[in-house]
Amino acid sequence: MGLVGQFLEFIEQTPNQTLRSLSGRVLHKCRELTAAEAGSVFMLRGQGRSRQLEAVSVQNDVIRAKTASFTIPVDPSSIVGHVAATGETVLIDDAYAMGEDRPYRFNPGFDQRTGFRTRSIMAFALKGFRGKPVGVVQLINRRSADSAGPLPFLLDHEAMIAPVNHLVGRALERAATLERLKERNRALAQERRRVAEQQKETERAFMVSVNLLARAAEVHDEDTGNHILRVNEYAYALAKWAGCPRAFCDELRFSAALHDVGKMSVDQAVLHKRGRLDDREMAEMRRHPVYGHAILVTSDRLKMAAEIALSHHEQWGGGGYPNRLKGEEIPLSARIVAIADCYDALRSKRPYKPSFSHDKTVNILTLGDDRLDPAQHFDPRLIALFAERHMEFDRIWEELRDEDAVPEAMLA
């Protein structure tokens, strides 16, 4: 059986091997082929300046190698860092007698701690699906029965390994990706179980769990008091009146709470300014739907929340922002939240106005005033449903009302 066949045999004979198991077999085979008495397999982690090499397999026939993983920065001045950065293969006859012309240096720290003596080194890159280094194999001290001490690795060894390093690199890259996906799935499943458990608790506890899922929601603006809780309930009621499916209503009930999560990225001086915003400040404020969408869209669980965050300031007539969507181009969830959000903003006390009564708020939403034209702002079917059953909104307001002032920016 050829060399490629030998690697293929143990790579494919046990599907879905863990990264640690597969890397251990790869390292053992590389050492067997080169007669190396020790070695390590490193995998690249992270991006940019935060990239590190994680030791996923360490073997040593002379001393007992620690099985715990460790990481080192991708520093081109180190041997494995140089290989990871350049993709070059490095052959060193004596680590303690390298010439000054080499761009990397040998770190004797391991030898000093353990009493092991490194002499010859062969380090080569493992190439992934895009042909770029995804890891490094470092082999140490080639042994021979005819020699008392370590021998240098040969160019023949490099030529021997070269045909299979892409095969091995891709297999290890696949195993590492699979483990990351499994870990993310386990984390997501854990969060979903937490949400399922907390759904039986109070609405505020449920919202806390949603905020934990939403990555950025820990910094959700708390100056809004119970605003987000009320908007949840208004939106849920309006969705039910519109005949939306139960699953849609339930998802909307917590997704609505995240409609303004993008304000965490808005200049705080703008967000909390008392008085009217100037043109520059208003432009910054009107970026919050885009900021919120960027925060939420990466989570499959929060797709509806992302579309609400992006589109709840769009207007039926096309005069809204940020994308000037019109009519049914605006997602239904966002059209519902637009009414819920506006109702609560009108009911809430502001630095420049008192809290409006329910009757006055209904008149503004259904008949309009100098700032709001319902025919241009809202889905006509939804505002008609609100006009028929608006007392439910008043009940929710009274049940969840608070005396906190809502920042003027809420109307932006």
Side-chain angles (χ1 to χ4, degrees):
M1 182 184 297
L3 182 59
V4 172
Q6 293 177 46
F7 275 96
L8 276 173
E9 183 179 19
F10 71 75
I11 287 173
E12 295 183 351
Q13 69 183 192
T14 307
N16 299 326
Q17 297 177 73
T18 66
L19 175 62
R20 195 165 297 279
S21 172
L22 181 57
S23 63
R25 300 183 76 175
V26 165
L27 181 57
H28 185 271
K29 189 65 178 177
C30 290
R31 291 178 54 225
E32 181 182 54
L33 292 169
T34 60
E37 69 180 14
S40 305
V41 175
F42 298 87
M43 294 298 293
L44 275 166
R45 305 293 196 203
Q47 299 292 330
R49 295 182 178 180
S50 64
R51 284 200 311 168
Q52 292 187 318
L53 285 162
E54 179 184 358
V56 293
S57 184
V58 178
Q59 297 172 8
N60 195 309
D61 291 341
V62 178
I63 63 171
R64 184 172 181 176
K66 293 183 178 180
T67 57
S69 64
F70 60 91
T71 60
I72 59 176
V74 179
D75 182 354
S77 66
S78 71
I79 294 170
V80 292
H82 175 81
V83 174
T86 65
E88 297 174 1
T89 297
V90 169
L91 296 175
I92 299 171
D93 293 348
D94 188 339
Y96 288 89
M98 285 195 302
E100 294 294 326
D101 58 331
R102 300 217 184 192
Y104 44 80
R105 295 290 176 267
F106 170 65
N107 182 352
F110 178 79
D111 288 7
Q112 293 168 356
R113 290 193 305 272
T114 64
F116 182 75
R117 178 71 177 185
T118 300
R119 183 169 294 176
S120 57
I121 298 174
M122 175 179 175
F124 61 90
L126 297 169
K127 305 293 180 66
F129 288 98
R130 298 180 180 179
K132 295 182 178 180
V134 296
V136 175
V137 174
Q138 180 174 253
L139 303 174
I140 298 174
N141 292 357
R142 182 171 73 91
R143 287 290 185 178
S144 170
D146 300 329
S147 175
L151 300 173
F153 292 93
L154 306 175
L155 292 175
D156 288 347
H157 294 127
E158 179 183 2
M160 181 190 308
I161 296 296
V164 298
N165 72 348
H166 281 77
L167 172 70
V168 171
R170 290 174 182 179
L172 290 174
E173 183 180 33
R174 185 166 55 245
T177 300
L178 208 58
E179 287 196 355
R180 287 196 298 270
L181 289 174
K182 287 179 179 178
E183 181 59 34
R184 289 173 184 170
N185 287 339
R186 282 194 293 268
L188 181 58
Q190 183 178 2
E191 291 300 321
R192 284 175 172 167
R193 285 194 297 270
R194 184 183 302 176
V195 169
E197 293 166 0
Q198 292 183 344
Q199 281 177 330
K200 300 177 183 179
E201 302 175 4
T202 65
E203 186 65 14
R204 183 174 294 277
F206 176 66
M207 276 307 306
V208 169
S209 67
V210 170
N211 290 346
L212 290 173
L213 276 176
R215 293 198 293 181
E218 291 177 326
V219 291
H220 194 69
D221 187 358
E222 296 178 355
D223 290 341
T224 57
N226 282 344
H227 169 73
I228 60 173
L229 300 179
R230 294 192 299 268
V231 170
N232 278 353
E233 297 306 312
Y234 303 143
Y236 180 70
L238 189 50
K240 287 197 301 180
W241 301 340
C244 298
R246 174 66 181 272
F248 180 95
C249 296
D250 288 344
E251 185 174 0
L252 180 65
R253 195 175 202 171
F254 67 83
S255 297
L258 301 175
H259 65 283
D260 273 338
V261 71
K263 288 185 178 178
M264 62 167 279
S265 299
V266 172
D267 183 339
Q268 294 297 298
V270 173
L271 186 62
H272 297 292
K273 179 181 178 181
R274 293 184 177 273
R276 300 292 177 179
L277 303 179
D278 62 28
D279 290 345
R280 183 198 64 80
E281 293 164 339
M282 183 61 73
E284 168 65 7
M285 178 57 68
R286 290 191 172 192
R287 292 289 298 165
H288 81 267
V290 177
Y291 297 150
H293 181 264
I295 291 168
L296 300 172
V297 73
T298 56
S299 170
D300 288 337
R301 180 74 194 277
L302 296 173
K303 293 300 185 186
M304 180 185 287
E307 71 180 16
I308 292 170
L310 182 63
S311 301
H312 70 285
H313 282 297
E314 301 288 358
Q315 296 178 10
W316 183 259
Y321 63 89
N323 295 315
R324 300 187 70 84
L325 300 182
K326 186 176 182 180
E328 293 189 359
E329 294 174 350
I330 307 168
L332 176 60
S333 60
R335 283 180 265 152
I336 291 172
V337 171
I339 295 174
D341 188 30
C342 191
Y343 175 89
D344 201 75
L346 292 170
R347 294 298 311 266
S348 299
K349 182 180 178 181
R350 301 303 174 87
Y352 58 89
K353 77 167 187 66
S355 171
F356 290 164
S357 69
H358 173 71
D359 290 342
K360 182 172 182 177
T361 298
V362 171
N363 284 337
I364 292 173
L365 289 178
T366 58
L367 302 177
D369 64 4
D370 60 340
R371 295 186 61 182
L372 187 150
D373 178 357
Q376 291 297 312
H377 276 68
F378 304 126
D379 182 330
R381 184 173 76 96
L382 293 177
I383 203 65
L385 288 170
F386 167 79
E388 292 174 5
R389 310 186 188 190
H390 57 77
M391 289 305 301
E392 175 68 6
F393 275 42
D394 187 46
R395 185 197 66 77
I396 293 168
W397 168 266
E398 293 297 337
E399 182 177 327
L400 295 174
R401 69 181 302 172
D402 62 76
E403 299 303 324
D404 294 340
V406 180
E408 180 189 353
M410 186 69 70
L411 282 180

